[in-house]
Amino acid sequence: MTTDAPARLEPVSQPESDQYWEGARNGELWIQRDKATGEYQFYPRAFSVATPGGEVEWVKASGNATLHTFGIVHIPPHASFAGEVPYITAIVELEEGPKMAANIVGVEPDPENLTIGMPLKVEFTKISEDYTLPNFTPA
Amino acid sequence: MLVAFNEDTYRPKRSDSFTMPNINRLKALSGQSAIVGVAESDQIGNVPDKSPLAHHAEAAINALDDAGLSLSDVDGLLTAGWSTLDVAEYLGIQPRFTDSTSVGGSSFVIHIAHAIAAIQAGYCEVALITHGQAGRNDRSPAPPNLGTPQNQYERPYGIIGPPVSYAMAARRYMHQYGEDRTREAMANISVATRKWANMNDKAYFYDRPATFDDYHESRWIVWPFHLLDCCLVTDAGAAIVVTTAERAKDCAKGGVKVLGAAEGHDHSMISQMPDLTSAFGRNTGKQALDMAGVSHSDLDLMMIYDSFTYTVLVSLENLGFCGPGEGPDLVANQRTAPGGDFPVNTSGGGLSYTHPGMYGIFTVVEAVRQLRGETGERQLDDCDLAIAHGTGGYLSSTGTVILAAP
C-alpha cells in the first residue's frame, strides 16, 4: 500500500484550447473575442457565442479580475487534493467581462480574508510538465 | 472593502433566450397521462450486496407491481446514468420507445415530460422510468477524463463534484441577500427536513433527530456548507410507471394525473451559470404551472430536490413561490416542517431520506404516495395537488411536474 496521492488532475487540451494552455505555460492569459462585435468569451470555442457561428480572434487578457464568489474546500473531493485542503475555489469576473473558475492563491483560506468584489490579478501555478493553471491573487 | 451588490451594474453576461412554448398545445396534454406505479428498490441506504442495475430492476418490478402491471406490459423505457440498452437487456424487455436523456438528477422528472409526450403521440402506452445507483458501495472506478470543458476549466482547480459548485453559488446568494439570514434559512431547511425523515421508516436518518445546534456545529465540507447542508450518499433505486389516463382507471391504485411538465437547462459548469441565484426553474416552474392551469397557492405539497439546503432555497424562489431574496422569509420558523403550513420534502428528502447521486425520481415517488394518502404518520391532510421539481448537474438543468390526486 502506498500513501502517495494520485497525480493531480490535468486538463486535456483540445484543438480550440491549445492556444489557451500554451499561453498559460508562458505565464499569459489568452482569451477569445468576437471579431465582429468585440465581445469577449470564456472558455475557448471554435466559434463565437455572441454571434453564433461568428469568427473569434485571440487576445491577451489584462489579468485583472474581481472576485464574483468563492468557497473553501475542507473535505477533498478527489484523492489528489487530499494534501491541498483547505483551499479556495472561486469564480472570478475578468476585466474583459467573462467569468472563469480558478483558485485564489497567496491568501490564507479564511472567509474573513475574502470579499466579493475585491480586485484580483492573475498568477500562474505549474501543476505538471505540460500544464500551468491561471490562478488569481489579491491585487 | 465591501462592494455592495448593485442591481444596475450586475447582469448575467448571456441573455436569457427562453421563450415559452405554445401553451395551448401543452394544455392538450394536461391530465391525459397518469402515474400508476411508484416504488423504491427492495432496500435503500447502505446496501453493499446490490449492483446499480439490481436497484433498477428491483424498483422496476416493485413499481409495476404497485400498478398491477408486469414487465410484459412495458413498451417504453426511460433511464439516466445508464443507457436504456443496458437496463432493457438486464430486465429482458424490448421497448419500442427509448430515452436515455441524462442531464443529472433532474433527468427522471424530465423523463415524465418525455413519457407523456410519447404516450400521447402513440409511440408507447406503458412507459417505465428506472433509476439505480450504488452511491455508497459502487465497485466501479471514476470515469476517465474525456477532455470536456469541465475537465479543462474546473476539475484541475479541485472544483470537483456538486458540493464545491453549489457552495460557491450559495456564497454569492449570501452576498446579494445577507449572510446571516441565508445561514438561518439553510439551518431551517436542514432541521425541518430531518423532522420529516424521522417520520419515514425508509429514511436513512429515520431514528436520528437533528437540532439547530447539530446543524451549526457540524463540520465544514465546503465553506459555507456544513455537513448538514449536504445530501446523503446512499445506495438506492426507484421507478415510475406512466400510462394513459384511460388505462390508469384499470390499474391497481388508479392514476395520479400529470397536469404539467417542463424541462430545460442554461449551462453545464457552475462557472458558466448566467446567474448563481437563478436556476432554470424560473422557466420550468412557470411552464408546468401554466400547462396545469393552477397557481402556487393551489399546491398542497412541494417536493423540491434538496441536494443541498441552498438548492431548496434558490429553487423555491426560481419557481416563483416568492421573489428573489425572499426565500429566507418563506422558510422561516420551520414553516416547511411537519405541522407547518408550507410542507416541503415530506419524505425527508435527499438531505435525510436517501440520495444515491441522482435523486430526482424520489421527489415524484413521495409526491405520488402523498397524493394517494399512503404515507402514514407523515400524511398531509387534503393533499390534492403537488409539485415535484428536480435539479441536475451544477444547478444546470431542471424538470418540474404538477401532479393531481386520483
Side-chain angles (χ1 to χ4, degrees):
Chain A
M1 185 178 162
T2 171
T3 55
D4 292 345
R8 177 93 180 232
L9 292 172
E10 276 189 28
V12 176
S13 185
Q14 300 296 311
E16 64 264 37
S17 55
D18 283 345
Q19 184 154 347
Y20 175 80
W21 291 114
E22 188 186 329
R25 260 195 307 278
N26 297 326
E28 296 174 344
L29 180 64
W30 285 78
I31 59 175
Q32 292 176 325
R33 179 166 71 187
D34 186 306
K35 264 189 172 171
T37 69
E39 190 167 338
Y40 293 90
Q41 70 180 19
F42 189 91
Y43 49 91
R45 292 170 170 88
F47 66 92
S48 167
V49 175
T51 316
E55 279 189 66
V56 289
E57 59 190 353
W58 284 93
V59 184
K60 187 181 162 189
S62 71
N64 298 324
T66 52
L67 184 62
H68 183 69
T69 192
F70 67 95
I72 299 176
V73 181
H74 289 265
I75 304 297
H78 183 271
S80 65
F81 285 87
E84 308 282 331
V85 290
Y87 61 88
I88 306 165
T89 63
I91 300 171
V92 307
E93 185 169 341
L94 300 177
E95 188 172 57
E96 291 81 3
K99 291 199 286 279
M100 64 178 284
N103 295 126
I104 304 299
V105 297
V107 55
E108 285 300 308
D110 182 329
E112 297 296 315
N113 297 335
L114 297 154
T115 306
I116 301 222
M118 71 192 286
L120 304 166
K121 63 178 193 298
V122 72
E123 188 169 302
F124 293 88
T125 308
K126 186 173 178 170
I127 60 164
S128 70
E129 272 312 301
D130 295 328
Y131 287 99
T132 294
L133 300 182
N135 279 319
F136 287 83
T137 193
Chain B
M1 179 192 66
L2 183 72
V3 179
F5 171 64
N6 184 334
E7 295 217 19
D8 295 330
T9 56
Y10 175 67
R11 284 188 190 88
K13 287 300 172 220
R14 214 173 304 170
S15 61
D16 188 345
S17 58
F18 183 83
T19 51
M20 191 72 85
N22 183 328
I23 204 72
N24 288 328
R25 293 192 64 187
L26 294 178
K27 277 178 180 288
L29 291 180
S30 180
Q32 299 302 304
S33 302
I35 296 172
V36 293
V38 294
E40 296 106 335
S41 47
D42 293 353
Q43 294 99 31
I44 63 172
N46 183 14
V47 193
D49 60 341
K50 295 276 171 65
S51 71
L53 280 171
H55 284 290
H56 280 264
E58 286 179 2
I61 290 161
N62 293 342
L64 287 161
D65 189 54
D66 188 53
L69 297 170
S70 71
L71 273 173
S72 60
D73 293 303
V74 174
D75 56 1
L77 181 65
L78 306 91
T79 196
W82 289 76
S83 167
T84 45
L85 289 175
D86 295 315
V87 175
E89 182 182 85
Y90 193 90
L91 290 170
I93 62 173
Q94 301 176 13
R96 54 193 171 87
F97 175 75
T98 185
D99 176 14
S100 301
T101 299
S102 202
V103 290
S106 60
S107 301
F108 312 89
V109 183
I110 287 171
H111 290 156
I112 293 174
H114 298 186
I116 66 173
I119 288 166
Q120 295 308 319
Y123 281 104
C124 63
E125 188 173 322
V126 177
L128 172 65
I129 303 168
T130 71
H131 161 273
Q133 283 179 287
R136 283 188 83 84
N137 287 293
D138 202 331
R139 294 182 182 178
S140 310
N145 184 335
L146 297 172
T148 59
Q150 194 179 25
N151 276 312
Q152 289 192 73
Y153 308 114
E154 287 194 352
R155 288 172 61 90
Y157 292 108
I159 300 173
I160 300 169
V164 186
S165 291
Y166 283 75
M168 290 196 289
R171 179 63 187 89
R172 180 71 201 183
Y173 184 98
M174 287 176 160
H175 169 70
Q176 292 184 200
Y177 301 119
E179 183 169 339
D180 291 347
R181 60 195 291 271
T182 306
R183 173 66 65 197
E184 194 176 329
M186 298 199 307
N188 258 306
I189 291 165
S190 179
V191 170
T193 311
R194 181 65 67 91
K195 288 177 186 168
W196 285 115
N198 295 150
M199 301 166 83
N200 179 1
D201 62 10
K202 288 183 177 169
Y204 193 82
F205 284 140
Y206 172 55
D207 53 4
R208 275 173 280 182
T211 64
F212 279 90
D213 284 346
D214 292 332
Y215 169 84
H216 289 291
E217 289 162 14
S218 66
R219 68 182 194 270
W220 296 119
I221 302 300
V222 180
W223 190 94
F225 282 165
H226 287 285
L227 175 66
L228 295 189
D229 285 305
C230 303
C231 65
L232 293 158
V233 182
T234 60
D235 309 311
I240 299 170
V241 185
V242 188
T243 189
T244 62
E246 190 59 33
R247 187 159 174 178
K249 292 175 188 164
D250 299 325
C251 290
K253 297 178 178 174
V256 164
K257 284 184 180 170
V258 182
L259 300 187
E263 67 188 66
H265 42 88
D266 65 2
H267 68 283
S268 179
M269 296 187 281
I270 196 71
S271 60
Q272 301 304 309
M273 185 169 178
D275 178 345
L276 294 170
T277 67
S278 178
F280 206 79
R282 66 186 177 273
N283 298 319
T284 57
K286 178 169 171 41
Q287 181 182 321
L289 287 163
D290 285 358
M291 177 176 167
V294 302
S295 62
H296 295 88
S297 57
D298 297 323
L299 299 169
D300 302 304
L301 167 64
M302 280 55 68
M303 290 301 302
I304 310 294
Y305 192 143
D306 54 340
S307 46
F308 302 93
T309 51
Y310 174 67
T311 318
V312 178
L313 183 66
V314 75
S315 295
L316 289 170
E317 292 183 8
N318 302 160
L319 290 169
F321 286 97
C322 61
E326 294 173 357
D329 304 322
L330 184 68
V331 303
N333 303 316
Q334 294 291 285
R335 274 189 75 203
T336 69
D341 64 345
F342 189 68
V344 176
N345 295 342
T346 54
S347 61
L351 293 173
S352 290
Y353 149 64
T354 206
H355 189 289
M358 296 191 293
Y359 158 86
I361 196 166
F362 296 91
T363 63
V364 177
V365 170
E366 174 72 4
V368 168
R369 287 177 174 156
Q370 284 280 0
L371 292 166
R372 288 173 174 173
E374 295 173 349
T375 56
E377 187 192 358
R378 67 181 190 279
Q379 179 64 43
L380 302 172
D381 295 334
D382 305 321
C383 185
D384 297 321
L385 210 54
I387 186 170
H389 178 67
T391 301
Y394 305 93
L395 290 162
S396 317
S397 65
T398 62
T400 311
V401 292
I402 308 294
L403 305 173

